[in-house]
Amino acid sequence: MNFFRGVISGQAAGPQPSGAETIQKLCDRVASSTLLEDRRDAVRALKSLSKKYRMEVGTQAMDHLINILQTDRSDSEILGYALDTLYNVICNDEEEEQDENAQKQADDLGLQFTDTFVQDPEHVTLLLTLLEEFDFHVRWPGVKLLTALLKNQGPQIQGIILVSPMGVSRLMDLLADSREVIRNDGLLLLQQLTKGNAAIQKIVAFENAFERLLDIITEEGSSDGGIVVEDCLLLLLNLLKNNSSNQNFFKEGSYIQRMKPWFEVGDDNSGWSAQKVTNLHLMLQLVRVMVSPVNSPGATASCQKSMFQCGLLQQLCTILMATGVPADILTETINTVSEVIRGSQVNQDYFASVNAPSNPPRPAIVVLLMSMVNERQPFVLRCAVLYCFQCFLYKNQKGQGEIVATLLPSTIDANSISAGQLLCGGLFSADSLSNWCAAVALAHALQDNLTQKEQLLRVQLATSLGKPPVSLLQQCTNILSQGSKVQTRVGLLMLLCTWISNCPIAVTHFLHNQENVPFLTAQISENLGEDERLVQGLCALLLGICIYYNDNSLENYTKEKLKQLIEKRIGKENFVEKLCFITKHELYSRAAQKPQPVFPSPEQMLFDHEFTKLVKELEGVITKAVHKSSEEEKKEEEVKKTLEQHDNIVTQYKELIREQDAQLQELKEQVTSMTSQNEQLQATITQQQSQIQQHKDQYNILKLKLAKENQGQSNSQGDGSQVNGLQTEELTQLREEVEELRKQHSLLQTQLGDKDALISSLVSIFFFLLFLSLCVLALLFWGLIPERCFKAVLMRLLV
């Protein structure tokens, strides 16, 4: 005992033993002592030395400490010391004064001891069992130790816990612990446990994790809460991100509705604490996880609907228009609103109706666009506004029409600022980033909308006093030819490519300007620097669109003449090489990954996500179109005409089939009706046959009675005559009734036979028409009858 007291107090007589020697003696004492008190003192001493002599304690004492956990379960104090000691040697807590190399060595040491501990999976199972102990001195160090193990060897520990009976359930019980320090460390443990493991995430979710976590967030004050709220939100993000099953469970459990109170901010938004900013940022991320564009469209649409119905979208729009909100929260709110409205017509319509609290009130879209084209605004905020505008127009033809309408002469209001005016101002400003953002925003107003592409051709711009107005299309090409910054030219070229693709009228307008084609060919054919190669590729794409969607209405710029021009001035191989450079660009592949425009710097803002889809769609067909000869073009035209004729024939035949279907349906209804009548007649016949049988029976009974009375002696002849007279009248009446019934029966049998014959005839007609239709279709398919004969047959069938 004196030895241990000396170690702990630091007092010792004679020469001081080294740390390794002391630890060895303590380990021997732990292994050999029979008294629990001695072992406890030895383990306490090891704990006090474990931070300073981490390597020695971990190497020499780990097996003894694990043995203590297995054998001394009855003493919570020694268990606590053993768990604390193991935690000290395994944990890699960063220390500020350590340099990078020392920290790396410490991390390697923790990983080494973790590997030693988990060599036997039963050690992890033992630790899970100890967590069931309610004693604070056992449970708390056990939670910390398991968290450290998960940090060092997450996947391996997750696998052991996953196969352990009730392993996850035991850890979920930590959230219900009344001692806050255990509950809070339990949150950190579950964060590590759920990282990157979908199976554990599902188990935790179905252990009522959502309910418990949301309750804790509410208890701790929601966005005004402390670090515990942050830990709960991080755990919720782990459970929901990229886990469609948990997202569906969260939505079906009506937990989206419980998120609305998080975003109720007051009028006074000054002095937000750093913790509140962090909490609200995570809350917004949680909303975005539920409506992320990478989720399945059905799940996203369902969550968007719930967010509108419970008022969550309305609450987010309130934050959007509030004053005093920190810039990073405002940016993340804009991104969140963007994804809540993306592709949802109801939500997009609501967003279009939101007004900013200004005098006079202005639409929220206009206020946001003012920020986007303002070069003094933060770059991330301008990107967020662009994303919001893109999401507002995504699959929203109504919204696209409203934006384009603000540019048309008949709808321009000189007294107010419109979205169209802001986009035009940004398109032609001196700031290249504003040019790019406005061009991309305007391109989204035209995306997959032929009507608005044609409407935008009507837009006229007043360039200067005394000069006639020019079209927006022409002004874009004028700026392009002036040799502005690369970012500006890339934005304008993306706008022009989106505008004229799949719109022959716009192609004609573009080609009508005699300067456009020479400018494009000159740009493509020059040998320019690396920065200009992207512009050359986009010029090649624009010229390729002019070929592919050309309706040959301009004699000087038909498809064939444009291809000859490329061959003479550029060369087909050179043209295709320049075109292919677009998809090889590093920023192209980055933009193609997700819809949100995220760029590290304004200079790298070159490609739009939707434009990358257009390039992918057109690159191959343009390459084929350029390489095709005039003979191949003629053959294709002939094939197209033949196909159109064939389509017309098929359409006529479809009409015939529809008519025959209607006739067959009518015949089926007649058959059904007659079958019903037949059944009724059968029932009537059966009933009448029953009545006839009854009358026959009555007749036979009366006949027998009459025969018996004729054989007997009658006392009174007069009376007998009277009786016989009565019986004769009854007999006569019965015979008449029987005869009448026989006639009715015969008549019904005749009617039934007629109906059967009619039904057989209708069924024969039905199968004949069906057979005839199949025969004609087969002959047409195999080309055994010419079109003229088919039309004659068609007319005969219609008659």
Side-chain angles (χ1 to χ4, degrees):
M1 290 296 295
N2 291 332
F3 170 76
F4 298 122
R5 292 191 182 98
V7 170
I8 294 169
S9 63
Q11 299 173 358
Q16 292 287 335
S18 67
E21 291 172 350
T22 303
I23 291 164
Q24 182 59 52
K25 290 178 182 179
L26 290 171
C27 289
D28 293 341
R29 180 63 63 181
V30 171
S32 60
S33 294
T34 55
L35 291 176
L36 177 61
E37 186 179 351
D38 288 347
R39 292 198 302 277
R40 188 190 302 133
D41 289 341
V43 175
R44 186 191 297 119
L46 286 170
K47 175 190 170 184
S48 65
L49 296 170
S50 58
K51 288 189 176 180
K52 184 176 181 181
Y53 298 103
R54 185 180 176 191
M55 168 69 83
E56 292 78 2
V57 172
T59 305
Q60 299 180 42
M62 182 169 288
D63 291 339
H64 300 297
L65 293 171
I66 293 171
N67 189 54
I68 290 290
L69 298 180
Q70 293 169 336
T71 57
D72 288 327
R73 296 282 298 276
S74 59
D75 186 73
S76 59
E77 192 174 355
I78 194 172
L79 288 177
Y81 292 147
L83 290 168
D84 279 331
T85 308
L86 286 169
Y87 172 75
N88 288 340
V89 300
I90 286 174
C91 181
N92 291 322
D93 286 339
E94 295 183 7
E95 298 180 11
E96 294 180 2
E97 60 271 11
Q98 284 187 343
D99 60 20
E100 188 176 342
N101 290 332
Q103 184 60 48
K104 187 176 184 304
Q105 289 176 1
D107 292 347
D108 292 342
L109 204 57
L111 190 59
Q112 174 188 332
F113 291 139
T114 301
D115 290 338
T116 304
F117 185 86
V118 299
Q119 277 180 356
D120 186 354
E122 288 300 320
H123 295 164
V124 179
T125 307
L126 172 64
L127 189 54
L128 290 172
T129 307
L130 290 174
L131 289 179
E132 293 182 344
E133 295 285 341
F134 188 73
D135 191 292
F136 181 82
H137 296 94
V138 177
R139 202 172 211 190
W140 187 40
V143 170
K144 293 194 297 179
L145 175 57
L146 187 55
T147 305
L149 291 170
L150 281 163
K151 283 182 180 178
N152 293 338
Q153 281 288 14
Q156 190 174 355
I157 306 295
Q158 285 172 337
I160 296 170
I161 294 174
L162 196 56
V163 299
S164 175
M166 301 296 290
V168 178
S169 298
R170 291 171 183 169
L171 301 180
M172 284 299 299
D173 291 340
L174 298 172
L175 296 183
D177 200 302
S178 58
R179 295 159 295 191
E180 286 193 5
V181 65
I182 293 180
R183 182 200 68 183
N184 298 346
D185 280 351
L187 287 170
L188 299 177
L189 169 59
L190 289 169
Q191 281 180 30
Q192 296 297 327
L193 179 67
T194 54
K195 276 185 180 178
N197 192 306
I200 290 180
Q201 289 167 2
K202 290 178 185 177
I203 296 171
V204 171
F206 281 96
E207 287 282 347
N208 207 25
F210 294 140
E211 186 77 32
R212 295 187 191 182
L213 292 171
L214 293 173
D215 286 344
I216 294 172
I217 290 171
T218 304
E219 291 167 8
E220 294 290 328
S222 296
S223 60
D224 293 317
I227 189 71
V228 176
V229 172
E230 180 183 344
D231 290 336
C232 288
L233 293 168
L234 287 170
L235 179 53
L236 283 171
L237 282 171
N238 276 2
L239 295 175
L240 292 171
K241 197 169 185 178
N242 300 323
N243 193 317
S244 56
S245 174
N246 282 2
Q247 289 172 9
N248 186 58
F249 183 57
F250 191 85
K251 180 185 70 69
E252 295 297 332
S254 300
Y255 296 118
I256 288 177
Q257 289 81 335
R258 294 188 60 179
M259 297 165 72
K260 182 194 171 188
W262 296 351
F263 305 102
E264 292 175 356
V265 296
D267 296 330
D268 183 16
N269 292 312
S270 59
W272 284 34
S273 66
Q275 187 61 58
K276 181 173 182 177
V277 170
T278 301
N279 290 346
L280 206 54
H281 200 276
L282 290 171
M283 290 169 175
L284 291 167
Q285 284 186 20
L286 205 55
V287 176
R288 292 185 66 184
V289 163
M290 297 300 296
V291 291
S292 172
V294 302
N295 297 346
S296 68
T300 299
S302 180
C303 290
Q304 288 172 331
K305 182 179 178 181
S306 297
M307 288 176 183
F308 176 77
Q309 290 176 341
C310 75
L312 178 57
L313 173 59
Q314 294 84 328
Q315 203 65 52
L316 291 172
C317 289
T318 302
I319 297 177
L320 205 63
M321 295 293 107
T323 55
V325 178
D328 52 347
I329 293 297
L330 180 60
T331 302
E332 189 64 17
T333 304
I334 294 172
N335 287 327
T336 305
V337 170
S338 306
E339 293 180 354
V340 173
I341 67 173
R342 187 175 188 268
S344 170
Q345 188 66 57
V346 174
N347 293 6
Q348 288 166 337
D349 290 344
Y350 170 77
F351 183 69
S353 69
V354 175
N355 286 321
S358 58
N359 191 17
R362 286 176 176 165
I365 295 172
V366 171
V367 174
L368 291 173
L369 286 177
M370 290 171 72
S371 299
M372 186 185 77
V373 297
N374 185 349
E375 58 185 296
R376 290 190 296 273
Q377 292 293 339
F379 172 62
V380 289
L381 179 64
R382 298 174 75 181
C383 289
V385 173
L386 175 60
Y387 185 44
C388 187
F389 192 72
Q390 292 173 344
C391 291
F392 169 66
L393 296 178
Y394 183 70
K395 294 184 178 180
N396 181 10
Q397 294 199 347
K398 178 183 174 184
Q400 290 174 320
E402 290 170 353
I403 296 298
V404 172
T406 60
L407 286 163
L408 299 178
S410 58
T411 57
I412 291 177
D413 184 2
N415 298 321
S416 63
I417 300 175
S418 67
Q421 289 172 325
L422 288 169
L423 290 176
C424 276
L427 198 61
F428 307 126
S429 75
D431 177 34
S432 61
L433 184 58
S434 294
N435 302 154
W436 190 92
C437 290
V440 169
L442 198 54
H444 277 258
L446 307 175
Q447 197 78 40
D448 300 324
N449 195 325
L450 181 61
T451 302
Q452 301 312 321
K453 289 178 181 180
E454 295 175 357
Q455 285 292 318
L456 201 64
L457 294 171
R458 296 170 49 203
V459 177
Q460 299 289 317
L461 301 174
T463 53
S464 60
L465 290 173
K467 290 187 177 181
V470 298
S471 68
L472 176 61
L473 182 69
Q474 185 56 47
Q475 185 65 11
C476 289
T477 56
N478 289 344
I479 294 174
L480 198 61
S481 61
Q482 290 170 6
S484 49
K485 292 182 180 179
V486 171
Q487 191 174 42
T488 300
R489 284 181 287 159
V490 168
L492 289 170
L493 284 166
M494 287 196 297
L495 171 60
L496 290 171
C497 289
T498 305
W499 190 347
I500 71 172
S501 66
N502 202 24
C503 184
I505 296 175
V507 171
T508 303
H509 276 71
F510 180 79
L511 295 175
H512 195 268
N513 187 327
Q514 301 294 323
E515 298 175 359
N516 287 343
V517 173
F519 168 74
L520 291 178
T521 54
Q523 284 286 308
I524 300 167
S525 59
E526 287 182 11
N527 292 319
L528 302 172
E530 187 71 23
D531 293 340
E532 294 292 330
R533 291 185 67 188
L534 176 58
V535 175
Q536 288 183 310
L538 292 170
C539 288
L541 178 66
L542 185 59
L543 187 57
I545 292 171
C546 291
I547 294 172
Y548 188 70
Y549 291 108
N550 195 328
D551 59 2
N552 296 324
S553 58
L554 291 176
E555 186 179 352
N556 293 334
Y557 293 114
T558 60
K559 287 185 179 182
E560 189 58 34
K561 288 186 177 180
L562 286 174
K563 285 194 288 186
Q564 290 173 0
L565 188 65
I566 288 173
E567 193 167 3
K568 289 179 183 178
R569 300 280 179 87
I570 305 168
K572 289 184 179 180
E573 297 302 324
N574 189 27
F575 176 86
V576 172
E577 183 184 348
K578 297 289 176 68
L579 178 64
C580 292
F581 180 78
I582 301 174
T583 53
K584 293 176 182 176
H585 199 282
E586 177 191 357
L587 297 176
Y588 173 90
S589 56
R590 187 182 299 175
Q593 290 173 3
K594 57 181 180 179
Q596 184 181 359
V598 180
F599 302 95
S601 65
E603 295 76 24
Q604 295 186 2
M605 206 168 183
L606 290 178
F607 284 105
D608 171 58
H609 177 76
E610 290 298 326
F611 181 74
T612 61
K613 292 182 181 178
L614 181 67
V615 173
K616 187 177 179 181
E617 176 188 339
L618 293 178
E619 183 183 17
V621 295
I622 288 175
T623 303
K624 289 180 182 178
V626 169
H627 282 294
K628 281 176 187 171
S629 62
S630 57
E631 290 79 10
E632 289 175 332
E633 289 279 355
K634 289 179 182 177
K635 286 181 181 178
E636 277 200 0
E637 289 295 328
E638 290 175 0
V639 170
K640 282 183 180 178
K641 288 180 181 179
T642 306
L643 288 174
E644 286 175 2
Q645 292 175 354
H646 181 72
D647 288 341
N648 291 334
I649 294 171
V650 171
T651 302
Q652 291 177 352
Y653 190 70
K654 284 179 179 178
E655 289 296 328
L656 173 63
I657 290 175
R658 286 193 190 99
E659 291 179 10
Q660 290 181 344
D661 281 341
Q663 293 175 4
L664 292 174
Q665 189 62 34
E666 186 179 347
L667 290 172
K668 285 180 181 178
E669 290 174 358
Q670 290 182 15
V671 169
T672 304
S673 175
M674 290 182 177
T675 303
S676 176
Q677 292 178 13
N678 187 17
E679 290 174 354
Q680 292 176 0
L681 289 172
Q682 290 281 12
T684 304
I685 290 171
T686 304
Q687 184 181 359
Q688 290 185 349
Q689 284 177 340
S690 175
Q691 290 177 355
I692 290 170
Q693 188 61 42
Q694 288 177 2
H695 286 303
K696 282 182 178 180
D697 293 340
Q698 290 177 4
Y699 173 74
N700 290 330
I701 291 169
L702 290 173
K703 193 174 180 182
L704 288 171
K705 283 183 179 180
L706 182 61
K708 287 180 181 179
E709 289 178 1
N710 286 337
Q711 290 176 1
Q713 296 295 326
S714 177
N715 294 329
S716 171
Q717 185 65 32
D719 292 342
S721 298
Q722 190 177 4
V723 172
N724 288 337
L726 287 171
Q727 289 173 346
T728 304
E729 289 175 5
E730 289 178 0
L731 273 173
T732 304
Q733 186 179 355
L734 285 171
R735 283 173 180 163
E736 288 175 356
E737 289 180 1
V738 169
E739 189 63 32
E740 183 65 27
L741 288 170
R742 281 178 178 166
K743 288 179 180 179
Q744 290 180 7
H745 178 68
S746 176
L747 180 62
L748 289 171
Q749 288 281 16
T750 304
Q751 290 178 355
L752 185 61
D754 293 342
K755 296 288 184 183
D756 286 339
L758 182 57
I759 289 170
S760 300
S761 174
L762 289 173
V763 171
S764 300
I765 293 170
F766 172 79
F767 283 110
F768 172 72
L769 287 174
L770 182 62
F771 174 74
L772 188 59
S773 300
L774 292 172
C775 288
V776 173
L777 184 60
L779 290 170
L780 179 63
F781 179 77
W782 292 107
L784 298 176
I785 56 172
E787 182 184 346
R788 185 177 59 190
C789 294
F790 171 74
K791 288 183 178 178
V793 173
L794 183 65
M795 296 304 298
R796 179 65 58 87
L797 287 174
L798 289 172
V799 173

